[in-house]
Amino acid sequence: MSASVAVYRDIFTEDRFKQAYGSEEDTGGGVRLRDKLAGRCRCSREAFLHLLRERVPIFRWLPRYKLRKWILGDTIAGLTVGILHIPQGMAFALLTSVAPIFGLYTSFFPVVLYMIFGTGHHVSTGTFAVVSLMTGSVVEQLVPTPLEMNSSSPEAAGFEAQRIGVASAVALLSGIFMICMFALHLGFLSTYLSEPIVKAFISAAAFHVTISQLQSMLGLRLPRHTGNFSFFKTLVSVMENLPHTNTAELIISLVSLAVLVPVKEINVRFRHRLRTPIPVEILTVIIATCVVYASSLDSIYNIEIVGDIPAGFPRPQLPAINTFPAIAGDTVAITLVGYALSVSLAMIYADKHGYSIQPNQELLAHGISNAVSAFFTCFPSSATLATTNILESAGGHTQLCGLFTSLVVLVVLLLIGPLFYFLPKAVLACINVTSLRQMLLQFQDLPELWRISKLDFMVWIVTWLSVVVLNVDLGLAIGVIFSMMTIICRTQRVACSVLGRASNTEIYRPLENHNKCYEVPGVKILTYNGPIYYGNRSFFREQMSKLLGLTPEKIRRREKAKKALEKQESETVICTVERGIANTSFSSVSDFFKSEASENDLEAVLIDCSSVIFIDVAGARLFTQMCTQCQKIGVSVYLANCNENVLKIMTSSGLMSHMNPQHIFVTVHDAVTYIQQQKVKFKRFSQSNRTTEMYCQKHLTNRCCRLVGETTREHLNSLGLNMEDSFADFG
């Protein structure tokens, strides 16, 4: 049994609805605004504590920490992620073109700072492959790698200092950018990196990382290529130098891959059964270090090893701030990518576990993490995909996981770090490549993306090809620009539809999709599903003119006929008798509308503005022009479902000078009902006018004809009609 709905109410125009249900005009807004500003600037203990909890979230969640319920999960998850941070930190330092020890520093300081200022409960920060790759490109541009340099020479120490100085400068400038964005509430800028752009960018960057690690896996000593077409330059360079492959390092790489790939696959397939994933990376690092140390492979086969890893904390030092002008452009891209990836990960797990994050506070958290860490020789950091996934699957509940993660890294920095002296760089390269599994598998989303949206599919493809073929930074910019162009194209070519009414309802739907709906006789109901602005005003005018038949020839012909009729009426006395037949101005109007109906049944145009989300001055003026053109051919224009901003702009642009304000309605059905009522009134008025004419022909003399106007008015009043209102609506 279907339910039915019956609603009885008056017809509402926008003015009438606002009078009945609108808010009263604010007469004391200035006073309330002053009071509001004074209240926000007032200092008190409660205001200070509120601000402290908002800007330093650890003071909000730590007092509410459920020790017995959460401590075990946070401890296990934190220790697991800390163990993973050690090999990944050293491996991603190679992508950044700095010594592995700086990767360990970057795995410590940002973790502690995000725990204090971050709002994501399941976010793990530290080194990330994409951000490290982009930073490494900047470092290589400013401090290129010399082909011949002894790693133990004094020149090598100065060379490493220059490199980490540039990388730290990128981190500092990125942190400054994020803090400025926080102050200006510019977190929305990251939304321009849509999901297809981010996924395509990550996938393409993973290919860059893989190719860049081939030389370390093969034991080749090659310069790192940067700039456009660096992907192909690196690939060609590796292919040309394949005969110089170090066999020992190739074997180490193959064995490492043979261990890492299957075990990581087991971790993925059985993640629901395993309490914690198997720490295969740290086990591989330990075993490889022991093997090289025991067999002296570094000296016998010239295997490239990590070398000296100093124990202890780094001394604070100022980054190379003199490089700010040279790195500013690249740092903007690094900032946006790092923040977009971090916020996306935080939102995914926040939605999964039913809590909310504060995107603007995330800007402050990552900004402080990068800015402060830069003074301790760290390169840019962000939320990391692999460790965040592991932290959540291992049972982490809060940011306290970061404490246990940092403790593991701290132990390595203070005690265990020097033991990794003999770790082969080929093993770190293999760890880099295998950590990209999730990024390389982004291609699996393409078939579904094609089914959902062809335009988003094109954005994915264009971004991926641009990043792979050209450059990481330039490819990202091309992807964003292409994505914005698709949005412009979508708003420029929005279809204009004719609405029909479902029988015995107040529901109106497009006729092309609902063939059982019918057009209201004499009324053309149109809807435009998009904004009306300078970019699409021509297309909007073309669509509307096509549906209404507003051709220039027709407008000129109808305007000429109307002027001739007005001239005839001006030359006619209010009431005369010619050849015994009475002619009045009323009959002239009636004949005009009758001829209009015979040529075209269109009497009114109703525009549904419910989907017009905004309109600019050009669009509002176009509305005025169309209203004038419709009036020239004797067609009234009505509006319905206008939002307040759209209606305000159209009113300010002078539309009401060409349109009756009472022709703007709250709903489409209100407007249709009003138009139909006016048609009934006009029909009754025409019948009354014909009766009066017949009366004049039979019974009135010239003297009596002068009284016809008063007779007609009295007759209309007896029918409950108003002559002036009838002419206002139909002439």
Side-chain angles (χ1 to χ4, degrees), residues 140 143-150 155-156 159 163 221-223:
E140 288 290 343
V143 190
T145 304
L147 292 179
E148 299 295 335
M149 178 179 288
N150 188 353
E155 293 82 3
F159 174 75
R163 289 199 150 194
R221 311 296 187 263
L222 302 175

Side-chain angles (χ1 to χ4, degrees), residues 18-333:
K18 187 174 292 184
Q19 291 174 3
Y21 299 101
S23 302
E24 296 182 0
E25 294 294 331
D26 186 8
T27 58
V31 177
R32 285 202 294 268
L33 179 60
R34 185 172 62 250
D35 293 341
K36 184 177 180 180
L37 291 175
R40 294 179 66 91
C41 297
R42 187 178 296 116
C43 295
S44 65
R45 182 175 180 274
E46 291 75 14
F48 172 76
L49 293 177
H50 176 74
L51 180 64
L52 185 65
R53 296 189 190 100
E54 286 292 319
R55 297 294 166 248
V56 189
I58 191 173
F59 291 112
R60 184 172 66 248
W61 60 263
L62 189 59
R64 304 174 184 173
Y65 190 83
K66 300 178 182 178
L67 186 63
R68 295 184 178 180
K69 185 177 180 180
W70 292 342
I71 188 62
L72 181 60
D74 285 346
T75 303
I76 295 175
L79 294 177
T80 303
V81 171
I83 293 172
L84 183 61
H85 264 308
I86 297 167
Q88 281 198 356
M90 292 189 291
F92 291 154
L94 297 183
L95 287 178
T96 318
S97 297
V98 296
I101 183 61
F102 301 115
L104 294 178
Y105 295 154
T106 309
S107 299
F108 175 77
F109 291 101
V111 174
V112 176
L113 291 169
Y114 183 84
M115 179 185 67
I116 298 173
F117 295 98
T119 60
H121 299 180
H122 300 84
V123 174
S124 173
T125 59
T127 56
F128 188 50
V130 176
V131 176
S132 297
L133 176 68
M134 297 175 72
T135 307
S137 298
V138 179
V139 173
E140 288 290 343
Q141 290 175 9
L142 298 182
V143 190
T145 304
L147 292 179
E148 299 295 335
M149 178 179 288
N150 188 353
S151 59
S152 59
S153 63
E155 293 82 3
F159 174 75
E160 286 295 338
Q162 293 180 23
R163 289 199 150 194
I164 191 57
V166 173
S168 299
V170 174
L172 176 60
L173 190 57
S174 177
I176 293 173
F177 283 161
M178 288 188 181
I179 294 173
C180 292
M181 290 170 64
F182 160 78
L184 298 175
H185 291 267
L186 295 180
F188 69 91
L189 291 177
S190 65
T191 59
Y192 289 106
L193 298 178
S194 63
E195 183 177 343
I197 291 178
V198 172
K199 288 188 174 182
F201 174 77
I202 290 176
S203 177
F207 277 84
H208 276 278
V209 173
T210 302
I211 294 300
S212 68
Q213 296 304 292
L214 285 179
Q215 58 186 26
S216 296
M217 295 169 65
L218 298 175
L220 301 175
R221 311 296 187 263
L222 302 175
R224 182 169 173 175
H225 296 281
T226 59
N228 295 335
F229 309 106
S230 59
F231 180 88
F232 301 102
K233 292 177 182 178
T234 303
L235 188 59
V236 170
S237 179
V238 170
M239 297 297 292
E240 290 177 348
N241 288 273
L242 279 179
H244 303 95
T245 299
N246 188 316
T247 307
E249 289 191 270
L250 176 61
I251 293 174
I252 291 175
S253 299
L254 293 176
V255 173
S256 299
L257 290 175
V259 174
L260 290 169
V261 172
V263 176
K264 290 177 77 70
E265 188 66 25
I266 291 173
N267 285 338
V268 173
R269 288 180 178 270
F270 300 98
R271 61 180 180 274
H272 298 297
R273 298 184 182 181
L274 296 173
R275 183 68 179 86
T276 59
I278 302 172
V280 62
E281 290 90 350
I282 191 65
L283 293 177
T284 304
V285 166
I286 294 173
I287 294 173
T289 303
C290 294
V291 170
V292 172
Y293 172 75
S295 57
S296 301
L297 294 178
D298 58 317
S299 58
I300 298 176
Y301 296 102
N302 195 26
I303 291 177
E304 191 172 10
I305 58 176
V306 168
D308 183 48
I309 298 180
F313 262 41
R315 290 183 298 177
Q317 63 183 47
L318 187 67
I321 57 176
N322 60 303
T323 61
F324 277 3
I327 65 176
D330 295 306
T331 304
V332 170

